[in-house]
Amino acid sequence: MKYFSTRGGSEELSFEDTVLTGLAPNGGLYIPTSIPKLPGNWKNDWKEYSFIDLSVTVLSLFISRDEISESELRNLVVKSYANFRHPEVTPLKRLGDKKYVLELWHGPTWAFKDVALQLLGNLFEFFLQRRNERNVTVKEKLTVVGATSGDTGSAAIYGLRNKANISIFILHPKGRVSPIQEAQMTTVTDSNVHNLAVKGTFDDCQDIVKALFADTQFNAKHRLGAVNSINWARILAQTVYYFLAYFSLRRATGGDADVQFVVPTGNFGDILAGYYAKKMGLPMAGKLGVATNANDILARFWKTGRYEKADSSPIDVAPSMEPAAGSSDGKQGTQDSSGVKETLSPAMDILVSSNFERLLWYLAFENVPQTEVDPRGKAGETVAGWMSKMKSDGRVEVPTSVLESARRDFCAERVSDEQTLETIKAHFLGTPSYVVDPHTAVGLSAAARMAQHNPLSYNQIILSTAHPAKFSEAVSTALEDSPQFNFESQIMPEEFKGLLQKERRVVDVESADIELVKRVIEDRV
């Protein structure tokens, strides 16, 4: 299996080079030359597989045995998930009739990104160690850079702390992540870990990271590696829990069951993994449900076909964007000059969804004229044009045929802060009582709306992305009038207690300036 850039070019990379390179030199994201199909008897052969077994099996479809042997891959997978707190790694929990949550937060930092980043950290170390064993004269090192709106940073740091020949620099928007998220990152004092608090937004941080990769001289000097979901290995790792959820649902229902996955998403990586699983052949009766908060670039795309930072639709012609049931947007009215709205689900406070480019390539490829001699190249050219227009104008509108292709596999809903709080409270007071973080609440709220249009046979699986203790303000606000609720005794894990008082190590960056970030990296590598 080889990988190529969404923005065209003839270069094809191995899995190893794809993982270590991260972002293509032309700014594109790497995708596989083909999406493998599931073997004929997979439903029966895989039905009793553990998460470890499924990981090895699914990953093997995308990774050549010549690059990583089966035994090497199994060792990497076992090592990656050894410190997860649940034996199933990502267990499925029933919340009601035909409603389930897939708990993805049983890893070391209590967030879904541990699933991918524990594996990615071990892949980085494995590839570097093998290269250095083959070439003892020049030791290869990797400088990993990433941007985070909350959970990516701590998950990446925990995946890479103390790894040989690897330094990691994580940029986060100062004051825009939850206190627990910030503490999880900045209290890691390993010498190879560096936190940068940037005065700006997540999108500013993400733009700086992309610009660092695009700077060929700086990239070559420091051998940059990517941990954001622009790195293909993260998407690949996340496809596994869709398969685990499918088999868990079959066991729960006693056989085949129609399923719709609903995913709270900002950068589009978590739900894109579901798209790959579907294209491989995983049965999904329902469309993949995109759940966004007020930063709804994705929801607006599926309504209008416009991928744009700011909503250009007049309010009176966009009824689906209005809050449901007469609720208001609450604190979603707060936004800075960049247009990012501050919400109770800050990990999704993103203007531009980087991973969406991968889906755009498949949509462009599907709509290439049959007379085209080089359809893959034409799709790359189209995507490069769209991304260029997005960068220059802040918006691009795709053809109707492309939008129709997107609507075949996806649907989308936008959820307000008030709806988020209502959902947290409703599930706490429900049977069974269940406390969710605000991002999972966005998914549950959107799923309830989507269910109104689904056939009665559909089961919904909502991806639960973080432990509620990571977002204490939102959860406490939602449940402050519930006398039976006590955050400290019912929610707070022992690992979080005293975390906010621990020693911190962080560098303040006074503006979203790439040169300032370069200086920090130069001083510390």
Side-chain angles (χ1 to χ4, degrees):
M1 178 71 75
K2 297 290 186 179
Y3 297 85
F4 66 95
S5 170
T6 52
R7 299 191 189 181
S10 58
E11 182 186 41
E12 292 185 357
L13 270 60
S14 66
F15 178 73
E16 177 176 336
D17 287 335
T18 298
V19 171
L20 292 176
T21 303
L23 189 70
N26 62 10
L29 279 64
Y30 288 112
I31 56 177
T33 51
S34 62
I35 300 176
K37 295 300 181 184
L38 300 176
N41 202 33
W42 70 275
K43 282 187 183 182
N44 187 61
D45 292 346
W46 300 3
K47 64 182 179 181
E48 300 300 330
Y49 277 11
S50 66
F51 187 92
I52 301 295
D53 296 330
L54 281 173
S55 290
V56 174
T57 303
V58 172
L59 269 56
S60 293
L61 297 175
F62 291 87
I63 305 171
S64 167
R65 285 277 194 273
D66 295 334
E67 289 201 68
I68 305 178
S69 69
E70 184 174 3
S71 61
E72 287 172 330
L73 182 58
R74 180 168 288 274
N75 288 338
L76 284 166
V77 169
V78 169
K79 181 180 179 181
S80 298
Y81 302 114
N83 57 353
F84 276 62
R85 290 177 301 278
H86 197 286
E88 294 178 46
V89 181
T90 59
L92 188 70
K93 185 177 182 68
R94 185 176 182 272
L95 288 190
D97 185 36
K98 299 186 181 300
K99 182 167 71 173
Y100 300 80
V101 289
L102 186 65
E103 294 181 342
L104 305 178
W105 39 260
H106 290 278
T109 72
W110 306 78
F112 82 97
K113 295 179 181 181
D114 287 325
V115 176
L117 285 164
Q118 285 293 306
L119 178 64
L120 181 59
N122 287 319
L123 284 169
F124 280 154
E125 187 176 52
F126 172 80
F127 288 139
L128 286 175
Q129 182 178 338
R130 187 167 66 182
R131 288 182 174 204
N132 288 329
E133 287 173 353
R134 292 171 179 170
N135 184 2
V136 294
T137 56
V138 180
K139 183 169 286 189
E140 285 198 39
K141 296 184 178 182
L142 193 66
T143 302
V144 174
V145 292
T148 186
S149 55
D151 286 331
T152 291
S154 56
I157 286 167
Y158 276 73
L160 291 174
R161 62 187 303 183
N162 266 331
K163 295 290 186 188
N165 302 311
I166 299 173
S167 297
I168 178 169
F169 293 81
I170 292 295
L171 286 64
H172 72 268
K174 186 174 182 178
R176 290 174 177 265
V177 299
S178 80
I180 288 290
Q181 287 176 314
E182 183 182 1
Q184 282 187 307
M185 291 186 286
T186 59
T187 57
V188 177
T189 57
D190 300 70
S191 61
N192 72 323
V193 173
H194 309 278
N195 284 282
L196 283 67
V198 178
K199 191 174 181 180
T201 67
F202 167 75
D203 290 271
D204 293 329
C205 296
Q206 188 162 250
D207 287 344
I208 290 173
V209 168
K210 288 182 177 179
L212 289 172
F213 277 94
D215 186 328
T216 53
Q217 185 176 355
F218 188 84
N219 193 341
K221 178 181 179 181
H222 294 289
R223 184 60 193 277
L224 299 185
V227 287
N228 282 68
S229 51
I230 58 176
N231 193 305
W232 164 250
R234 276 192 55 180
I235 306 300
L236 179 56
Q238 291 172 176
T239 61
V240 175
Y241 46 68
Y242 284 89
F243 287 91
L244 187 77
Y246 170 79
F247 286 114
S248 297
L249 181 64
R250 287 187 72 191
R251 286 192 288 272
T253 58
D256 283 330
D258 293 336
V259 63
Q260 176 185 42
F261 288 95
V262 181
V263 187
T265 187
N267 230 10
F268 204 71
D270 209 9
I271 195 165
L272 183 70
Y275 175 78
Y276 277 106
K278 182 176 183 178
K279 290 300 180 185
M280 292 167 68
L282 185 68
M284 296 185 194
K287 297 179 181 181
L288 284 156
V290 179
T292 79
N293 62 18
N295 298 289
D296 58 351
I297 184 172
L298 295 171
R300 286 186 280 112
F301 171 82
W302 264 277
K303 175 179 171 55
T304 66
R306 292 189 296 273
Y307 188 53
E308 55 186 2
K309 292 183 178 180
D311 189 356
S312 64
S313 302
I315 293 175
D316 61 355
V317 298
S320 68
M321 293 298 100
E322 293 176 1
S327 66
S328 70
D329 276 349
K331 64 185 286 189
Q332 289 180 352
T334 305
Q335 67 182 64
D336 61 24
S337 57
S338 73
V340 176
K341 299 175 183 177
E342 296 183 28
T343 75
L344 294 172
S345 44
M348 296 158 64
D349 289 350
I350 294 170
L351 276 186
V352 178
S353 303
S354 287
N355 258 295
F356 191 58
E357 181 171 335
R358 283 188 166 109
L359 177 65
L360 285 176
W361 186 89
Y362 290 104
L363 298 177
F365 182 75
E366 184 179 324
N367 286 274
V368 169
Q370 293 185 352
T371 54
E372 179 61 47
V373 177
D374 178 19
R376 194 178 93 179
K378 182 63 177 178
E381 181 184 314
T382 299
V383 170
W386 286 343
M387 293 298 99
S388 176
K389 189 170 178 60
M390 184 68 178
K391 185 174 182 179
S392 62
D393 301 347
R395 68 189 299 269
V396 64
E397 186 164 4
V398 302
T400 301
S401 59
V402 171
L403 178 59
E404 288 174 349
S405 296
R407 285 174 172 169
R408 182 190 60 234
D409 290 313
F410 296 87
C411 59
E413 289 285 351
R414 169 191 189 269
V415 177
S416 71
D417 267 4
E418 187 166 318
Q419 291 160 347
T420 300
L421 294 173
E422 290 171 353
T423 302
I424 295 173
K425 186 172 184 178
H427 282 83
F428 174 70
L429 297 175
T431 303
S433 177
Y434 190 70
V435 182
V436 298
D437 85 288
H439 305 81
T440 304
V442 168
L444 286 163
S445 180
R449 239 175 287 163
M450 294 170 186
Q452 297 173 12
H453 308 288
N454 287 347
L456 294 176
S457 64
Y458 279 20
N459 295 268
Q460 287 184 314
I461 297 178
I462 297 90
L463 272 56
S464 179
T465 55
H467 189 281
K470 298 196 76 168
F471 301 93
S472 57
E473 179 187 355
V475 175
S476 296
T477 299
L479 303 180
E480 61 187 357
D481 295 330
S482 302
Q484 64 270 53
F485 174 71
N486 184 288
F487 189 89
E488 287 289 329
S489 63
Q490 293 174 278
I491 302 300
M492 183 71 78
E494 283 297 320
E495 293 90 334
F496 285 4
K497 293 177 181 176
L499 184 62
L500 299 179
Q501 286 73 48
K502 284 188 176 180
E503 174 192 355
R504 308 287 181 100
R505 199 155 71 89
V506 61
V507 179
D508 285 328
V509 179
E510 288 306 309
S511 65
D513 184 339
I514 187 175
E515 295 304 322
L516 294 177
V517 173
K518 282 184 180 179
R519 200 175 305 158
V520 173
I521 295 174
E522 293 276 8
D523 288 345
R524 286 162 176 79
V525 171

